[in-house]
Amino acid sequence: MPKLLCMQRPKQSIRKPVLTTSQNGLMSLPGVGTFSRNPAHHHPYCSSTSDTHTPNQVAPSLPPPDILSADTLQAIDAVEYITDYLKDEQEEKAFRDDWKYVAMVIDRLLLYVFLGITVGGTIGIIGSSPYVLETVDQQKILKQLIYRYKNAGDL
């Protein structure tokens, strides 16, 4: 139906990714700076560097990874809530955009129907009226009216 009505779907807004990766493996976040995902470049107490140690190597004394402060857990929960909310919002926006497109197609269809009925009705009314396409002898009509006016008193 949209192709028949000469319509195209509106372009979806594409969000630019916030996290960019360069060719040398460095990642950058706006406002934070650049960092590497390579575990060798991490802090010695980072949990991702513990995977690089061999069993024969003694790792520096690391705090247990399961112990996090209550504030940290609340912050993680808040971030998860926000990301879930934003994902749901994007899904709802996509759903609304689909229905807006359907509404645009129906509006265009109804516009063409209205235009066809209006133009057809106008042409039908004008074509069916008398004297529209005929030539009129105005002198003859004037003589008839003058004759009726003059002879109206005689009746």
Side-chain angles (χ1 to χ4, degrees), residues 53-104:
H53 294 293
T54 61
N56 297 338
Q57 246 181 342
V58 176
S61 61
L62 297 173
D66 296 334
I67 300 176
L68 296 174
S69 69
D71 291 338
T72 306
L73 291 174
Q74 285 180 341
I76 291 172
D77 288 340
V79 168
E80 287 177 353
Y81 175 77
I82 291 170
T83 55
D84 289 341
Y85 177 78
L86 291 176
K87 285 179 187 176
D88 291 342
E89 188 69 27
Q90 283 181 335
E91 290 175 4
E92 289 178 17
K93 184 182 181 308
F95 189 71
R96 282 192 309 261
D97 289 344
D98 289 342
W99 279 108
K100 283 181 183 179
Y101 181 63
V102 170
M104 284 177 20

Side-chain angles (χ1 to χ4, degrees), residues 94-140:
F95 189 71
R96 282 192 309 261
D97 289 344
D98 289 342
W99 279 108
K100 283 181 183 179
Y101 181 63
V102 170
M104 284 177 20
V105 170
I106 293 172
D107 283 347
R108 179 73 57 95
L109 176 67
L110 292 177
L111 172 71
Y112 288 158
V113 168
F114 175 77
L115 184 68
I117 291 172
T118 305
V119 169
T122 303
I123 290 172
I125 290 171
I126 290 174
S128 67
S129 64
Y131 308 117
V132 170
L133 300 176
E134 298 175 8
T135 57
V136 177
D137 186 10
Q138 293 181 359
Q139 293 299 323
K140 181 181 174 186

